[in-house]
Structures are given as structure tokens and as C-alpha cells.
Amino acid sequence: MPKDTLTPTLPTAARFADDIVTHLMSSLGKDPDHASDNDWRVALSLTVRDRVVDPWFESTRATYAAAGKRVYYLSLEFLIGRLIEDVTINLGLEKVATKALKRLGKDYDALVVLEADAALGNGGLGRLAACFLDSLSTLGIPAYGYGIRYEHGLFEQHFRDGVQVENAEAWLAQRNVWEFERPEVTYEVGFGGHVDYTEDGAATWHPTDKVIAKAYDTPVVGWQAKWVNTLRLWSALPVVNFDLDAFNRGDHLGASAPESFARTLSRVLYPDDTTDQGKELRLKQEYFFVAASLRDLLRRFQSEGYEIETLADHVAIQMNDTHPALAGPELIRLLVDEHGVAFDAAIDLARECLGYTNHTLLPEALERWSEGLVKHLLPRHYAIICLLNLRSLEATGTPILEHGEVKMGELSFVMAHRVNGVSALHTELVKELVFHDLHAAYPDRIVNQTNGVTPRRWLLSTNAPLSTLITKTIGDDWVADLEQLTALEPHVDNAAFLRNFDKAKRANKVALSNWLRDHHGAAIDPDAMFDIQIKRIHEYKRQLLNILETIALWNDMRDTPTATWTPRVKIFGGKAAPGYAMAKSVIRLINDVAATVNTDPVTRDWLQVVFPENYNVSMAERLIPAADLSEQISTAGKEASGTGNMKLSLNGALTIGTLDGANVEIRDHVGAENFYLFGLTAEQVRARRTQPDYARAAIEASPRLKRVLGQIADGVFSGGENRYGDILGMLWDHDYFLVTPDFADYFETQRQIDVDYRDRKDWTRKAALNTARMGWFSSDRTIAGYASDIWGAKSMLTN
């Protein structure tokens, strides 16, 4: 297919304006003189969406005609954020849309921010999936993303007296203009019941509970709309909508029970699994979307007339973490029970199709489900898992079933022909620590594909001041080939370029300062250093280390107010899981410290702490371009990759970090002199944990840290109340994530950063080198690696 076949022709601004008004009246039934801004936003979105349909259909037709391989990406999360800017930029319509709206008396920038973030993810896992979909389309690789259409998503975060409070997300309260409802695409998904076996071993599963999975499709547009793929999300519906007999008997609540049961499956991302009911719901969700997705891809495969034995020639299925681990047993079940494939042949065929991405080294994040729960909900799958367990024991000595639990990491491994880590360090630790025995038995199965981020969303769209400067300096080919950013390097010693680079950064800082003032009541100085840590709140990510250093810095400022201090704004963003008590304590501590520090007349001109509520993709798009310093301070050996570190460095932030995850590779690419390294290595972390009382010894060796912990205990930041006994007890007695041993090095490294930041020319040069050398961390490069090394998939676009 010629490269530009699918690229749409741009309309004139006048034609585009007419189309917006047409949608406003015919699709929304609104008179332009009385339409709200949100009405105009929806009309704009529908007008943009119209330009997606033709290349979407053409991509589908071309895929069928080529009879090649499709990629199916199974993920419980797709953190896609607002789509209007994404689609508009990839279509090349931003200038046209801006001019058209101006003709209509409307402001493009003011309208696009009215779109709600799609509440389909939590953090890096879901945002990575969204980047991958963008890159799959940009590279022209036929693909479907499969997930759940959550009605409420994760949760909307608010703070009440500094405490995180969770409310249901209401993103679907607005019309989701980007999705296409597919009422004809439905599949029954069953739970429970029993299995009948015949004498020849054939099995028939008779579920007692069933729901309907209904498809909603969102087109995913690649750069310049040369290819468009599909994100298909499943919503759960009852088999019987309403029990009229029960209603007529007076059981009004019972009459709606089937609908309530079904909708529960697709309401909330990550229901609290600290209860048995929560565990059951989570497992049901994971099977629900896997079962519907596999049936859907098999239907598509069969519609093309292929023999089932050729499935792996046409289908590549990627399991994004362990959430879709049931894809292995389910695909075996479908092949054996419904397509007549022999059991051992079905295992081999399923394995040829399946790949597994491991995202964690944390034991608690490698899911385990009780055998009793799996057997109760999925009796046929449990029988298949038992057989897989026997084969794994025979081949490797590694059990899938252990201590009454099904180990989903091991299940994913044995059912995948390739298992990939997401950074070079993480991949080696997966081999060494997570799957040691399985790796010994299958030494070629684990491969590395270091994560990346899409430059369209995370530089071109998010950071107009910087991306404009880059394009003026080296042209615009970098948008589809990020490694062309290296052409910026000869300019980093040009005084005019550095001034413009610094102006771009300051423009983003001013924009963020204004937004924080208007929406969060925070008055901050855009000329201060913006020190940003944005990520899920977790002990291993060590927001606690950051806030302890903040208190220590505050103390030093108060002790010597006549010293030269570098003004700094500490900005945090992130959510804690509702049941994660320690993480929620850290959030409250950060907010308590902020309330004290921000009002201190001695230090408030030098130090501010800001924690805006409800961190999401749209907030990240404001924070990342404005960052001077990127906090990537996880305990070495715990972060799989990190993609926030890539986005921040790409946008000209310098990193303070440990040798963890992709930090190792980022430091190699940007240069050690442009990266602030501190802390123990992964090997040193493991060795330190073997030493008795290592945390207490570290505290006693650091008067500065000991003073900080004493202040927390004395209630300096909490009105005299010692409300942080959990944090203090952990730090003194069992500091597993080594906050205390790393504190002194972290603090001293931060003071060197203070000094370096005051040399604006040299700091800007380092920041520019970070941007220039981050091209390798494009998700386009990552997806090209998956396609060649894991999927065997090819681009449909010519060069």
C-alpha cells in the first residue's frame, strides 16, 4: 500500500466551521445562539471524528485484503486521556480547527479542556498501553486493543483535611463522542456451574451465571492518519434485563438484580480486593474481558476462512501484565472444547499466539488467586490449569499451583512463547529473581523490550513552546522518528537556542503557575525550580523520601535564613489505592507538611509544597512540560521501567534518581553528567537488608533525619497530634524500601542541584541535552521491537 494512500485532505476553515455548526444543530439539536461551550466541544469532536472514519475503514479493508497477522493487545487499563487534541493533531487539523472556531467566536484551547479524561486506567501500565496503540497505528501494524469500558474507572481523588477521599469518576456523564456502540457484537460470558466429561475426555462447561459482553469501538489514529486501528472495550449487560415476574410479586429490588450483577463487572477499575467479595469481582472482571476478546478475535479469524491450525500465523496476542493471564487456559478451552484440537496441540498453538509482558518485581503485584475461588468461578479452566501445572512440574519443577493458590505470573510464563521485561535492568532481574527456575528451563524465552512514550502526545501536543522550537531548529520529521532529536545537539552551545529553550520552559512554568492558582489556590513563583514527582503513591516509589527531605530542607532554611537558598516548589501528583493504608498516610503527611511550610513567613519565598487533587493524564500534560527536576527515586530493583521518567526528560527536565528501571538506560543516553544519581544499587539494596537494624543505624547516623522523624512524632505538622505512628514505626524497625539508608545521599545530591540550578546557562544546556538524547525512548521503537522479536507482525505502510 502506498504510504500516503490513507492521508485525508484537509478542509478549509470555512468548510470546517460549517460542519461544526451542522453537527451542533443536527447531532445535538442546539441553536448556535444558545449552545453551551460543552455543546460546541461535542460538535467540534464529532466534526473531527468524521475525518477519522474513512481512513479507519480503509485500514480495515487493507488488513483483510493482505491476509496478514493482527496484533491483539489485552490490557485491563488504557489510560488514553482526552482524545480531542490527540486525534486533531494526528489528523493535522489543529490549525484548521482553531481558525474555524475563531470564525464562530469560539476559542479552540478553551473548548478542548472541557473533555473529561476517560477513566480507563490508573498509572504507567495503562498509559503505556495507550502509547502502544498510538505507535501501532503510526507504524501501520494492524491491531486491536481489548479492555473494559469502565463506567466509573478508578476513582476521583479529593483531599479532606489532607486525607485522600475517593469518589466515583463520572466521565461517562458526558457523551463519549469518540466511541461507536456495536450492539451486534456481543458474547455470552459464563461463571460457575459444572463440567461434564465424556469417555473420550471431551468436556462441556455448563455455567450457572452468565452476562453479555457488548463492544464499544474507538478508532486509534496514527500520525498523519496513514493508519487507524481500533480500541474495543467491553461493557457488561444482563442476559435478562428485567425480571418482570419478580417485580409483579413485589420484589422490586430483586427484579433488577441481573442488571446490577452485570453492570458491577464493568463499573470500577481495581475494586478493593482486601475482601473476599472484592477478590471475586476482580477475577470475574479479568475473565470477562479475556473471554469476550478471545471469542471476538476467533470469530474474526474464522470469518476469513483459515484453518484453526494456522491461528498463530494470523494472530498475535499480548498479555499486558498478569491481568489477562486467563487468556492461556481460555484459549486452550476454546481450541479443545469448541474446535476439536487435541489438548497438547492446543497448548502449543495457544503458546505460539501468546506473549506476556511482566511489569513488576513486587511479589504482591504478581497476582495469586485461591484455588477454591478459581475452581468455583471457572471449573473448566481450573481443570486445565491443573494439567498445565503437572506439565510445568515435569518440565521445570516450577509449580503453577502452590499453597492453595494459582500463581498468575507462572501461568502467564508457561503459556507465552515470549516473556518480556520493560527495561534492561528489569529484564535481568526477572531472569534472576522472579522466574529463575523457569528461565533456566527456557533460557531463550525472556527478552527485553524497553518501554517508550509516544512523541505525538508527550511532546508535540503537550509542549507547544518546545515542540515549536524543535521544529524551527531541525524540521518536523522528528514527530515520526524521534531519534532525529539528536540533530539538536550541535545547537546546545548556541546562545540564542539556549535562550529560546529557556523561554519555552518558562512559558510552560507560567502556564502551570496560573493553572495552579486558578484551580487549586496555590500561588507559586514560576522562577523557582519546579521539582516534580508524579506517579502512583506507593512505598517503593518513595514519595516518603521526598517529603522527609523537604522537611529537612525547611529546617536548614529556618536555621540559617541568611544563607543563599535556591527557591524550590515541590509538586506531587498521584493516587493511593483505597485499601493501601501506608500510602494514604504518606499523602496526608505531604499535605500536612504543605500546610505548615507554605505559610511559614521565614521560608515561604524559598520553599512551597503543592499536591493538586486527582492526578490524571490531563494534569500530567500540564506538569511535565513545566518540570525542571524529575524525581525518579524508587528503591533500586523495584521499578520495572517507569515511563514518567522518559516523558519528563524528553521535555527538558533533569532527573534525580537511583539506578532503577529505565533510569539506567536514560542515564546512559543523556550522559552521567546530565543526570543526578544517588542511592544504593539493586545489589546493595539486597545486601543491606541482610544487615541487622540497618534502618535504625541509618537514622542514628543522620542527625538531620533523626530530627525530622522527631518533629513528625511531636506533631509539628499535625497540630501536636502524633498521627504517623505507622510511618515512624516502619522507618525505625522495618524500612523495607530503604528510605533511611538512602536519605543522606539524596539530601546531599539535592543540595548540589540547588547550586547547579543557579547557573541558568549550564542548567539549560543540560536540559536541552536531555531532550536531544531521548529519541531512543519512543514507543515507536518499542513497538517495532515487539513486532519483530515477539509478534512476527509487519507494517502495512511502505517507507
Side-chain angles (χ1 to χ4, degrees):
M1 177 179 298
K3 181 177 181 181
D4 295 324
T5 296
L6 303 179
T7 304
T9 302
L10 295 181
T12 65
R15 168 65 186 278
F16 201 78
D18 289 344
D19 290 346
I20 292 173
V21 173
T22 298
H23 267 300
L24 190 69
M25 295 189 294
S26 64
S27 300
L28 280 75
K30 290 295 182 77
D31 182 331
D33 292 336
H34 300 94
S36 68
D37 281 351
N38 194 58
D39 294 330
W40 284 103
R41 190 267 306 172
V42 173
L44 167 65
S45 300
L46 289 170
T47 306
V48 172
R49 194 185 76 169
D50 286 347
R51 269 73 184 179
V52 174
V53 173
D54 282 347
W56 191 22
F57 290 172
E58 288 300 318
S59 298
T60 301
R61 294 185 190 110
T63 302
Y64 276 102
K69 178 176 278 192
R70 288 184 180 88
V71 173
Y72 296 100
Y73 197 80
L74 305 186
S75 180
L76 207 55
E77 298 185 39
F78 286 96
L79 199 57
I80 57 177
R82 291 195 302 251
L83 287 181
I84 185 167
E85 296 158 292
D86 216 28
V87 177
T88 301
I89 281 181
N90 278 344
L91 288 171
L93 284 171
E94 187 177 27
K95 290 182 180 179
V96 172
T98 301
K99 290 178 181 177
L101 286 166
K102 188 174 181 179
R103 292 170 68 97
L104 297 167
K106 296 295 174 182
D107 180 74
Y108 173 82
D109 293 328
L111 294 185
V112 297
V113 298
L114 298 178
E115 181 180 334
D117 274 37
L120 300 172
N122 176 23
L125 182 83
R127 187 52 233 172
L128 180 75
C131 285
F132 279 7
L133 291 184
D134 175 276
S135 288
L136 281 160
S137 293
T138 294
L139 295 180
I141 298 172
Y144 272 76
Y146 279 123
I148 296 177
R149 181 181 180 267
Y150 300 105
E151 188 175 341
H152 298 298
L154 186 66
F155 60 84
E156 188 175 270
Q157 179 195 56
H158 297 282
F159 298 138
R160 186 179 301 150
D161 297 326
V163 177
Q164 174 179 289
V165 177
E166 301 92 23
N167 294 329
E169 284 271 11
W171 73 287
L172 285 175
Q174 296 184 7
R175 177 181 176 183
N176 180 13
V177 302
W178 302 107
E179 68 182 8
F180 291 82
E181 184 178 2
R182 304 297 193 197
E184 75 283 5
V185 182
T186 60
Y187 301 96
E188 280 195 357
V189 178
F191 303 98
H194 67 280
V195 181
D196 288 335
Y197 294 93
T198 63
E199 291 184 1
D200 61 0
T204 303
W205 177 28
H206 302 278
T208 53
D209 297 316
K210 294 181 181 179
V211 297
I212 300 294
K214 177 181 174 181
Y216 289 79
D217 288 352
T218 300
V220 181
V221 185
W223 176 237
Q224 298 179 335
K226 294 172 184 174
W227 194 264
V228 184
N229 284 315
T230 303
L231 171 61
R232 175 160 285 182
L233 302 177
W234 301 105
S235 183
L237 300 174
V239 174
V240 177
N241 280 319
F242 188 72
D243 188 340
L244 184 60
D245 287 342
F247 187 85
N248 288 334
R249 291 195 306 270
D251 185 5
H252 300 153
L253 292 177
S256 300
E259 181 185 10
S260 178
F261 164 71
R263 286 185 62 192
T264 298
L265 287 179
S266 54
R267 279 196 173 183
V268 176
L269 169 66
Y270 299 143
D272 186 352
D273 60 1
T274 59
T275 66
D276 289 342
Q277 296 90 336
K279 289 182 174 66
E280 180 172 326
L281 176 57
R282 177 91 166 256
L283 184 58
K284 283 180 175 177
Q285 286 181 321
E286 294 183 359
Y287 177 65
F288 165 75
F289 99 92
V290 162
S293 302
L294 291 183
R295 282 198 172 277
D296 193 51
L297 69 87
L298 284 173
R299 174 200 57 78
R300 188 174 299 108
F301 168 81
Q302 289 179 288
S303 73
E304 297 180 77
Y306 304 123
E307 297 296 326
I308 195 68
E309 291 79 10
T310 68
L311 184 66
D313 296 331
H314 300 277
V315 167
I317 304 167
Q318 191 68 26
M319 298 181 287
N320 191 29
D321 212 20
T322 56
H323 308 131
L326 288 167
E330 172 67 358
L331 187 51
I332 292 171
R333 183 186 76 82
L334 293 171
L335 292 173
V336 172
D337 296 353
E338 298 187 12
H339 294 275
V341 179
F343 188 80
D344 287 338
I347 294 175
D348 292 339
L349 183 55
R351 185 180 292 123
E352 287 182 65
C353 296
L354 290 165
Y356 160 50
T357 301
N358 175 276
H359 284 280
T360 185
L361 299 167
L362 300 176
E364 67 271 19
L366 286 168
E367 293 179 303
R368 293 176 177 231
W369 299 110
S370 77
E371 289 190 52
L373 178 60
V374 175
K375 186 176 183 179
H376 168 67
L377 289 181
L378 304 167
R380 175 58 175 148
H381 302 77
Y382 177 72
I384 292 170
I385 291 169
C386 288
L387 292 172
L388 292 173
N389 179 61
L390 289 175
R391 282 164 171 73
S392 181
L393 286 170
E394 292 168 357
T396 70
T398 300
I400 298 172
L401 303 175
E402 188 174 46
H403 306 308
E405 294 179 316
V406 181
K407 301 190 293 182
M408 306 306 272
E410 283 74 7
L411 176 61
S412 300
F413 188 108
V414 301
M415 282 310 306
H417 72 284
R418 287 289 182 270
V419 176
N420 71 278
V422 291
S423 70
L425 174 63
H426 170 247
T427 300
E428 292 308 307
L429 292 174
V430 167
K431 294 176 182 178
E432 178 184 352
L433 302 177
V434 181
F435 298 125
H436 179 271
D437 292 342
L438 287 169
H439 172 59
Y442 305 106
D444 298 326
R445 189 168 295 186
I446 298 178
V447 297
N448 178 58
Q449 296 295 340
T450 297
N451 284 342
V453 300
T454 167
R456 274 75 60 184
R457 170 66 69 101
W458 293 110
L459 184 54
L460 179 65
S461 174
T462 296
N463 195 340
L466 180 55
S467 60
T468 300
L469 174 61
I470 293 170
T471 296
K472 286 182 178 179
T473 305
I474 64 171
D476 65 359
D477 287 347
W478 63 269
V479 180
D481 181 8
L482 196 60
E483 294 199 57
Q484 291 196 27
L485 289 181
T486 56
L488 291 172
E489 283 212 44
H491 299 273
V492 300
D493 291 315
N494 180 286
F497 175 79
L498 289 183
R499 282 195 302 272
N500 289 328
F501 193 97
D502 193 45
K503 286 180 182 177
K505 178 64 70 174
R506 194 177 190 281
N508 290 320
K509 293 173 71 175
V510 169
L512 177 60
S513 299
N514 292 340
W515 180 76
L516 287 171
R517 179 198 63 211
D518 295 342
H519 294 272
H520 296 275
I524 61 175
D525 179 5
D527 290 317
M529 181 200 308
F530 283 15
D531 174 352
I532 294 183
Q533 186 174 18
I534 42 175
K535 49 189 76 250
R536 178 167 51 97
I537 309 299
H538 196 289
E539 288 173 89
Y540 87 82
K541 294 179 183 289
R542 299 202 297 189
Q543 288 89 354
L544 180 57
L545 176 60
N546 191 345
I547 198 62
L548 295 179
E549 186 272 336
T550 304
I551 298 171
L553 174 59
W554 178 66
N555 286 334
D556 281 14
M557 288 177 170
R558 288 176 59 83
D559 290 345
T560 55
T562 58
T564 300
W565 296 108
T566 300
R568 186 187 289 242
V569 181
K570 292 268 195 173
I571 302 176
F572 295 83
K575 300 177 181 179
Y580 193 172
M582 183 63 75
K584 296 177 85 168
S585 286
V586 170
I587 287 176
R588 190 176 191 186
L589 176 60
I590 294 170
N591 284 324
D592 276 351
V593 171
T596 301
V597 168
N598 294 351
T599 57
D600 185 343
V602 177
T603 65
R604 63 189 177 195
D605 291 337
W606 304 321
L607 182 63
Q608 293 279 294
V609 179
V610 181
F611 196 155
E613 296 176 330
N614 203 39
Y615 176 68
N616 57 17
V617 175
S618 294
M619 189 187 295
E621 291 171 344
R622 297 180 182 277
L623 295 173
I624 287 170
D628 293 305
L629 186 66
S630 166
E631 298 271 352
Q632 306 299 329
I633 59 176
S634 53
T635 310
K638 291 300 179 185
E639 185 72 83
S641 173
T643 50
N645 50 8
M646 301 172 191
K647 297 163 193 166
L648 285 152
S649 184
L650 177 64
N651 281 271
L654 273 63
T655 301
I656 179 170
T658 54
L659 285 178
D660 196 30
N663 283 356
V664 178
E665 290 156 281
I666 290 175
R667 184 170 179 262
D668 288 344
H669 278 81
V670 305
E673 68 279 9
N674 303 310
F675 185 106
Y676 290 96
L677 178 66
F678 80 96
L680 302 172
T681 66
E683 294 78 9
Q684 290 169 334
V685 164
R686 293 199 293 273
R688 184 63 59 92
R689 288 201 186 104
T690 66
Q691 299 176 11
D693 296 325
Y694 61 85
R696 189 170 294 271
I699 296 169
E700 295 292 353
S702 174
R704 184 176 276 116
L705 176 57
K706 190 173 183 180
R707 178 185 179 187
V708 168
L709 299 185
Q711 289 172 301
I712 295 171
D714 292 341
V716 170
F717 309 101
S718 50
E721 176 189 349
N722 179 7
R723 61 175 66 132
Y724 297 109
D726 53 350
I727 291 176
L728 295 171
M730 177 271 293
L731 289 174
W732 278 97
D733 298 326
H734 51 92
D735 178 15
Y736 181 77
F737 294 104
L738 283 85
V739 170
T740 51
D742 273 351
F743 174 85
D745 194 9
Y746 178 62
F747 184 89
E748 293 304 322
T749 304
Q750 290 280 26
R751 303 293 71 78
Q752 182 60 52
I753 290 170
D754 286 336
V755 174
D756 291 353
Y757 187 76
R758 293 197 289 269
D759 184 343
R760 297 300 303 142
K761 181 179 178 181
D762 189 59
W763 182 276
T764 303
R765 184 180 184 277
K766 290 180 177 180
L769 283 170
N770 267 259
T771 296
R773 294 173 176 176
M774 282 296 293
W776 188 79
F777 293 93
S778 168
S779 53
D780 297 346
R781 184 266 314 155
T782 309
I783 287 299
Y786 272 89
S788 63
D789 299 346
I790 298 175
W791 300 328
K794 298 185 183 300
S795 171
M796 294 288 291
L797 302 177
T798 59
N799 293 323

